[in-house]
Amino acid sequence: MKAYSRFSDTELADLLKSGDRTAFTEIFNRYNSLLYIHAFKKFNNKEEARDAVQEAFAMIWAKRETLMVKSNLVGYLYTCVQHKILDQISRNKTARNYLASLQNFIDEVKEGTDDLIRLKQLSAIIDQEINALPNKMREIFELSRKKNLSHKEIAAKLNISEETVKSQVKNALKILRVKLGLFVYLMFMIRF
């Protein structure tokens, strides 16, 4: 039986290339702790460090036949672990960015939905108060604010004087201001 613990890194790498599982186990036992410490210093997280080292060893086993260890095995192993560390950091950053983006989207949708609900409620209150105006005043007011007709156009359309139109719109605004309050009145003026 071979004493794998006595083999050099180059001999172990050659045996690994030929598919020798015991050589792989010896390499793992020889360098696992050192690679783990290296990864832990980068992550400061036991699980992530362990995952990076295990992924590196899994990749080494999967690519054992094409393994290109030129000078030293430990340098090759550190490089493999370093690549896994960078991959993990990139995945973590991507995941954080995705979660932040998703949270922003949820916040915007929620805010937009809340605004939409408030706007619909406000519109319903305003429409209710406009409908409560006397008929002629309501008709003139709606032509002015909802149809955007000028006082002159409303006067011509309804066969009344411009002064009557002006007076009716002014009175309607006074009534709405009192009933809806200043805030709702200002919102209404911005909306229409």
Side-chain angles (χ1 to χ4, degrees):
M1 178 160 186
K2 300 176 186 175
Y4 284 88
S5 61
R6 294 185 182 163
F7 287 151
S8 70
D9 287 352
T10 306
E11 291 170 319
L12 288 172
D14 289 340
L15 290 169
L16 176 62
K17 281 178 96 167
S18 67
D20 189 322
R21 289 183 186 273
T22 309
F24 177 77
T25 302
E26 177 60 29
I27 292 169
F28 181 85
N29 290 337
R30 196 177 283 184
Y31 294 110
N32 180 49
S33 295
L34 289 173
L35 295 171
Y36 171 80
I37 291 168
H38 173 68
F40 184 78
K41 286 179 182 177
K42 299 292 184 185
F43 287 121
N44 202 25
N45 179 297
K46 291 178 183 179
E47 289 79 26
E48 288 181 334
R50 190 176 319 118
D51 288 348
V53 172
Q54 286 177 352
E55 284 178 25
F57 275 110
M59 187 269 306
I60 289 166
W61 178 254
K63 296 183 176 185
R64 66 188 174 277
E65 293 171 355
T66 59
L67 202 63
M68 300 295 281
V69 179
K70 294 187 172 132
S71 59
N72 68 8
L73 180 61
V74 72
Y76 182 81
L77 293 171
Y78 270 102
T79 301
C80 290
V81 169
Q82 190 63 32
H83 285 293
K84 294 302 174 184
I85 289 168
L86 293 174
D87 287 347
Q88 185 66 28
I89 289 170
S90 177
R91 281 194 303 264
N92 289 348
K93 185 177 180 183
T94 301
R96 280 192 304 271
N97 288 344
Y98 174 75
L99 289 174
S101 173
L102 184 60
Q103 188 60 50
N104 286 341
F105 175 74
I106 290 169
D107 291 345
E108 287 173 11
V109 167
K110 184 179 181 291
E111 186 176 302
T113 302
D114 290 346
D115 288 346
L116 188 60
I117 290 170
R118 280 193 291 274
L119 185 60
K120 283 183 180 181
Q121 290 171 339
L122 182 59
S123 290
I125 292 168
I126 291 169
D127 287 342
Q128 180 182 349
E129 292 303 327
I130 290 172
N131 288 334
L133 292 172
N135 288 339
K136 197 65 165 173
M137 184 183 288
R138 180 177 39 81
E139 181 182 13
I140 292 170
F141 185 79
E142 286 178 338
L143 289 172
S144 171
R145 293 299 191 255
K146 290 186 177 181
K147 302 281 185 188
N148 294 320
L149 297 179
S150 69
H151 292 177
K152 190 174 191 171
E153 291 170 323
I154 296 169
K157 183 174 180 123
L158 299 178
N159 290 326
I160 56 176
S161 73
E162 247 182 275
E163 277 304 311
T164 302
V165 171
K166 187 176 180 180
S167 173
Q168 290 291 321
V169 169
K170 186 177 177 182
N171 289 337
L173 287 172
K174 262 189 210 175
I175 292 169
L176 291 173
R177 189 179 308 125
V178 169
K179 287 188 176 184
L180 299 174
L182 183 59
F183 175 75
V184 175
Y185 169 76
L186 291 173
M187 290 298 293
F188 175 74
M189 292 307 295
I190 291 169
R191 179 174 171 234
F192 294 108

